[in-house]
Amino acid sequence: MSLSYVLGNLLGRALVSYLLVWLVCWLSCRCKMGEAFRRSLRWYSWLAVAALSLLGMGAAVSGGGLR
């Protein structure tokens, strides 16, 4: 397993996690894109992105997804 593969996987998971957090913010702001973007840049949104990314990476590693 190469370092570039792991970093690419982590970056991809972080991007998808950010999109999920943005989607939740968008739905909670009644579909206002600008407000959702501002809310997605707050510290607790980044904490959620980090947690989702690490949980996804942990699930992939424990399930044998990264080889």
Side-chain angles (χ1 to χ4, degrees):
M1 170 172 37
S2 69
L3 181 63
S4 62
Y5 178 76
V6 173
L7 289 177
N9 198 334
L10 187 59
L11 183 64
R13 287 181 191 278
L15 180 64
V16 170
S17 297
Y18 176 77
L19 290 175
L20 286 172
V21 168
W22 184 86
L23 181 65
V24 169
C25 291
W26 183 67
L27 290 173
S28 70
C29 294
R30 297 189 175 112
C31 302
K32 297 178 184 171
M33 292 180 68
E35 181 66 25
F37 181 70
R38 281 188 293 278
R39 284 189 181 187
S40 69
L41 295 178
R42 294 184 179 162
W43 68 269
Y44 46 82
S45 296
W46 286 108
L47 185 65
V49 168
L52 285 171
S53 298
L54 290 176
L55 283 172
M57 199 66 161
V61 169
S62 69
L66 294 177
R67 294 181 187 196

